[in-house]
Amino acid sequence: MTDHHQGARDIVQAYIDTFNAQDPEAFARTLHYPHMRIDGLGRVRTWQSWEAYAAEVDFARLRETGWHHSVLDWQKDVQLGASKAHIAVNFTRYREDSSVIVSQESLYVVTLQDGRWGISVRSSFLEETLPS
């Protein structure tokens, strides 16, 4: 990893930090738009703006699942280019008592646009790995 790509890794950590802070606007602003997510069932969703994304963030529903916080266990640079990085990550969702809800790997496509790194595409298997 070069110093140039540290911003890509930092935005991945910021994504988790703003998720834990339960701040929909700050969370949404770690992404670039249009933003795409490919879920664990192969469905593709696209959001055109941070406002549209933030409007759908529902931390109350997430807390109802027992979620208390998430931890970015690791991130690994898979491919690095001048303005794009493919970063594999593993994160774990925890309950308040520190028991694990789910741990899973994802792939983030992080891009440098207008001088700012942001996550443009996320692909995960969360829907496959969540407990029923």
Side-chain angles (χ1 to χ4, degrees), residues 29-50:
R29 288 183 179 270
T30 64
L31 310 175
H32 277 314
Y33 298 91
H35 179 78
M36 178 188 299
R37 177 171 183 262
I38 306 167
D39 74 12
L41 303 175
R43 299 175 297 202
V44 177
R45 296 253 351 249
T46 303
W47 294 266
Q48 297 302 316
S49 68
W50 72 264

Side-chain angles (χ1 to χ4, degrees), residues 20-90:
N20 284 331
Q22 300 181 46
D23 183 337
E25 181 177 335
F27 180 55
R29 288 183 179 270
T30 64
L31 310 175
H32 277 314
Y33 298 91
H35 179 78
M36 178 188 299
R37 177 171 183 262
I38 306 167
D39 74 12
L41 303 175
R43 299 175 297 202
V44 177
R45 296 253 351 249
T46 303
W47 294 266
Q48 297 302 316
S49 68
W50 72 264
E51 296 94 343
Y53 188 85
E56 291 187 28
V57 175
D58 187 351
F59 287 110
R61 187 173 64 90
L62 183 61
R63 286 189 303 272
E64 288 173 4
T65 71
W67 175 84
H68 180 262
H69 68 282
S70 295
V71 172
L72 178 62
D73 302 309
W74 53 260
Q75 55 179 309
K76 177 183 175 186
D77 301 327
V78 176
Q79 295 172 308
L80 300 173
S83 59
K84 182 172 71 165
H86 295 173
I87 301 178
V89 304
N90 192 88

